[in-house]
Amino acid sequence: MTGSATEKLALAAIFAIAVIAPFLGAYYLTFVFTMLIAYVVAQSWDWLHGEAGYVNLGHYIYFGIGAYVFSLGYINELPVVVCFAFAALFTAGVGAILSYPLFRLRGDYFAFATLALLPLFDLLAANLKGITKGTDGIPLPPKGVIVMGVDVKVFSYYVALAVCVAAFFLTIWLARNKFGFALKAIRNDEQAAEICGIRIFPVKLKTMALGATFAALAGACYPWAYRYIDPTTVFGLNVALIPIAMALLGGTGLLWGALIGTILLGTMQQMLLVQISGFQATIVGIVTLLIGRYMPGGLLRARIVRGTPGLGALGKEHHERLGVRPAVGAAGEALAIERRTIDPDRTILTCNGVTMAFGGNIAVNNVTLEVKEGEILGLIGPNGSGKTTLFNLISKIYEPVAGEIRFDGHLLNGLRRDTVSHVGIGRTYQIPRPFSDLTVQENIAIPLMFRGDGGLARDAALAEAIKFARFAGLEARLFDRADALNLQQRKALEFARALACRPKLLLVDEVASGLTPAEVRAFVDHIREMRDKYGVTVIWVEHIISALSQVVDRLVVLEQGSVIADGPLREVMADERVLRTYFGGSLKEHA
Ligand code: ADP
Ligand code: MG
């Protein structure tokens, strides 16, 4: 960890207070215990939210399930360690199973579906009387209130503290690790993450299960300490949303967000509990509203906090912590793309009768097309003629309604996007889709980390990404966030990221529009270099014919989804129908 002195000091202070709290009396013990548990729930919620961008409003059910499983094991006289293990494993299993239906949903739908889990589990706990004793709740037997000579309240307190420490360090690990980068890519753009080679569902499932495990461990501490559990204490809405409010208050996706949020809101709650207990939920709601309105992104991201010496360190985004600035190599250095030997007679891509329709609109109509290895194919056609859709079909954004696509010995129909990326297809988006809150370097490193052969380690990928950035002319912006780039730079980033997928076939969708003639020339050289030096086959969609004519071997023309011409550049440009439909008569003005 590249923590600053302030951070280490803050951590030591918080830890020290937590360690001595039980010695200050029962009041402080209960007070801090509540916060320890809240922190674990808030932090484990934020792994899915802050890292992957999913709002799981029902996260608290894992706390409840953990508490119930623990209690059931406990009253059946299983050893406490076994009760904890059961609670963690069972709840992780529930999280994994729930992932299947839940991750079919996104955004608000995901949030609402997860919110519904709370009343559902509340109802289950209340009605499965045979197991849970219903609303009467489960009292834990008095036997066991002394653990190894210590009051169980104190003992469970330190167990909860240990879980907190584990959660905190896991957060550091997650933010820096390759797995964490998969989450960050998912948070920014799931489709782009997939075409960079990330298989997203298992990543989301693991994160859900991990979060569930930690919430369950916190949940198990609760009945152990308080010797009682009933449905509303662990599944009630009034308690369930508070840890989420804590994480939001501090700032989600930040190492310190959930911790600071928990301390602040937890303390406030405690004070309110003493004074105006009835208004607690209202006050918490108001605080969250105010934060959302005036400090979006949480307290630690607020300018006033970021600008305060010392405090500012707590609001550092992950890439500010990474501190990876590998030595920059020489210009013109080779990219880590294998040099493939080209067999110009070999067909690498075949589209056979490929058709795609959106409702009644046939965007791609019975397209049959062959591309030879090492070819640079220009694909042109008026706006809306289906060029981008054809790319979307080849890169599996869409599944064709009819026809077959074969690439390098693989039938692409039915394959996942990440597999298609792994078999060697890279693409750019016509409208750039970078991972906005990641740096240029990280954007390019992502496909390097998640390519088919298992990928590079994080630091190696970050170092390698520099070469791609330099190749695409982005060296000066290496450590800037992608959302700070202008359109040209975003297009260059699209290109660099697609190259970093190490494609055998590169699909380039209108990167030259908006570039100056000199920039276009540089781009044409890049395309040529990709083929000549690395053996990459290219299909290039471009409106600027003068750019295409510098480099393409063959031209295919689409009109209303159908191929109307396919042949050497000269021939196609002389074709009657092409001239009429595409160039509106005269070719000269476009050449
Ligand atoms: P081009 O890239 O050649 O300009 P597109 O492939 O983007 O054309 O679009 C081809 C046709 O398909 C257009 O009529 C467009 O409106 C339609 N289309 C493309 N994507 C979608 C979509 N996701 N939903 C509905 N219609 C679409
Ligand atoms: Mg298009």
Side-chain angles (χ1 to χ4, degrees):
M1 179 194 175
T2 49
S4 66
T6 332
E7 288 181 279
K8 284 176 183 145
L9 202 69
L11 200 59
I14 292 169
F15 185 70
I17 293 171
V19 168
I20 58 165
F23 297 99
L24 303 177
Y27 173 81
Y28 288 100
L29 182 139
T30 311
F31 178 15
V32 182
F33 180 75
T34 311
M35 293 221 272
L36 295 181
I37 280 179
Y39 167 69
V40 175
V41 179
Q43 186 62 78
S44 59
W45 173 81
D46 201 36
W47 292 331
L48 195 60
H49 180 263
E51 291 291 327
Y54 277 86
V55 184
N56 177 6
L57 293 176
H59 183 62
Y60 211 79
I61 61 162
Y62 300 134
F63 177 88
I65 295 168
Y68 264 105
V69 174
F70 176 89
S71 305
L72 291 172
Y74 196 91
I75 56 173
N76 285 299
E77 301 193 2
L78 293 177
V80 171
V81 178
V82 177
C83 296
F84 264 98
F86 272 156
L89 286 175
F90 185 87
T91 314
V94 173
I97 291 166
L98 284 176
S99 293
Y100 284 87
L102 288 176
F103 285 124
R104 289 173 180 273
L105 308 171
R106 281 183 201 182
D108 301 343
Y109 294 99
F110 179 87
F112 269 111
T114 51
L115 184 61
L117 292 172
L118 286 164
L120 178 71
F121 275 85
D122 191 0
L123 217 63
L124 274 178
N127 287 297
L128 293 176
K129 292 201 173 84
I131 305 171
T132 63
K133 301 206 172 83
T135 46
D136 292 343
I138 304 174
L140 268 50
K143 201 179 110 195
V145 291
I146 301 297
V147 188
M148 290 152 74
V150 182
D151 187 327
V152 71
K153 276 215 157 120
V154 178
F155 202 89
S156 59
Y157 177 97
Y158 286 111
V159 171
L161 181 58
V163 178
C164 281
V165 172
F168 187 82
F169 284 98
L170 197 58
T171 307
I172 296 175
W173 179 84
L174 258 185
R176 303 167 52 85
N177 187 276
K178 242 167 93 163
F179 186 80
F181 275 101
L183 292 175
K184 289 181 230 302
I186 288 170
R187 171 179 75 209
N188 278 284
D189 191 328
E190 293 200 5
Q191 193 189 94
E194 286 182 288
I195 65 147
C196 286
I198 299 172
R199 190 176 171 197
I200 59 177
F201 180 68
V203 173
K204 295 193 276 191
L205 181 142
K206 283 179 199 164
T207 313
M208 180 75 111
L210 187 70
T213 305
F214 271 76
L217 291 174
C221 290
Y222 186 84
W224 192 25
Y226 290 106
R227 320 300 292 169
Y228 176 74
I229 180 178
D230 72 352
T232 43
T233 7
V234 294
F235 295 120
L237 257 180
N238 55 331
V239 284
L241 296 182
I242 289 183
I244 298 177
M246 289 167 164
L248 289 173
L249 171 70
T252 83
L254 297 175
L255 174 58
W256 290 87
L259 185 55
I260 299 293
T262 304
I263 293 172
L264 292 179
L265 202 57
T267 309
M268 205 175 79
Q269 239 193 324
Q270 189 64 27
M271 283 154 50
L272 294 173
L273 194 64
V274 180
Q275 284 148 20
I276 36 170
S277 59
F279 291 105
Q280 256 204 85
T282 315
I283 306 264
V284 169
I286 290 172
V287 168
T288 315
L289 264 179
L290 289 177
I291 287 288
R293 172 66 185 81
Y294 294 104
M295 295 176 179
L299 201 62
L300 294 182
R301 284 197 180 89
R303 204 171 297 154
I304 179 163
V305 177
R306 291 281 283 166
T308 309
L311 270 189
L314 302 184
K316 273 198 274 186
E317 303 284 344
H318 82 276
H319 53 262
E320 298 173 278
R321 302 187 171 278
L322 259 183
V324 179
R325 297 285 188 272
V328 177
E333 200 174 357
L335 302 173
I337 305 177
E338 322 160 19
R339 287 155 195 266
R340 292 192 184 85
T341 37
I342 307 169
D343 173 2
D345 293 327
R346 198 170 93 94
T347 301
I348 194 163
L349 178 78
T350 316
C351 296
N352 198 351
V354 173
T355 300
M356 183 66 199
F358 300 100
N361 177 8
I362 299 176
V364 169
N365 190 4
N366 197 18
V367 166
T368 296
L369 188 69
E370 276 198 358
V371 184
K372 298 285 184 202
E373 205 172 11
E375 210 176 0
I376 300 180
L377 178 71
L379 182 60
I380 63 170
N383 262 332
S385 58
K387 306 179 297 293
T388 299
T389 305
L390 187 60
F391 275 9
N392 284 339
L393 290 168
I394 297 170
S395 58
K396 299 309 298 184
I397 306 305
Y398 305 133
E399 185 70 34
V401 293
E404 270 185 6
I405 305 174
R406 286 181 184 278
F407 170 75
D408 200 27
H410 305 271
L411 176 65
L412 299 190
N413 298 55
L415 291 191
R416 286 192 318 267
R417 291 166 198 159
D418 54 297
T419 316
V420 169
S421 166
H422 290 165
V423 299
I425 295 179
R427 69 166 293 174
T428 70
Y429 284 102
Q430 182 176 352
I431 298 159
R433 290 174 72 155
F435 302 118
S436 301
D437 66 16
L438 301 187
T439 64
V440 166
Q441 184 185 29
E442 290 169 334
N443 264 273
I444 303 172
I446 295 240
L448 295 170
M449 285 186 237
F450 297 100
R451 63 195 194 194
D453 62 0
L456 297 177
R458 186 201 67 185
D459 287 353
L462 287 168
E464 189 61 36
I466 297 177
K467 296 183 197 163
F468 286 90
R470 186 181 304 124
F471 184 77
L474 284 169
E475 201 174 350
R477 306 303 306 263
L478 215 44
F479 306 118
D480 293 324
R481 277 167 55 136
D483 53 11
L485 302 181
N486 66 29
L487 183 63
Q488 273 73 6
Q489 291 164 337
R490 279 173 205 229
K491 290 196 166 196
L493 180 56
E494 276 289 320
F495 185 60
R497 192 177 66 182
L499 293 183
C501 294
R502 296 203 310 176
K504 292 177 190 155
L505 171 66
L506 180 64
L507 308 174
V508 182
D509 199 350
E510 301 202 24
V511 280
S513 51
L515 302 190
T516 65
E519 287 168 335
V520 170
R521 252 190 319 279
F523 190 76
V524 166
D525 289 342
H526 284 344
I527 296 263
R528 193 179 290 117
E529 188 177 348
M530 288 316 296
R531 194 262 308 270
D532 295 351
K533 249 183 147 173
Y534 302 105
V536 176
T537 309
V538 182
I539 307 181
W540 184 3
V541 167
E542 195 59 66
H543 271 301
I544 305 168
I545 303 293
S546 58
L548 284 181
S549 63
Q550 294 174 44
V551 68
V552 301
D553 305 311
R554 184 157 69 103
L555 209 54
V556 167
V557 187
L558 280 182
E559 192 202 10
Q560 293 185 6
S562 301
V563 176
I564 59 160
D566 178 351
L569 189 82
R570 289 277 146 228
E571 257 170 52
V572 169
M573 306 252 275
D575 185 286
E576 272 295 304
R577 189 163 172 204
V578 174
L579 289 178
R580 211 174 40 245
T581 61
Y582 187 65
F583 301 109
S586 163
L587 181 62
K588 300 232 159 35
E589 64 211 53
H590 295 275

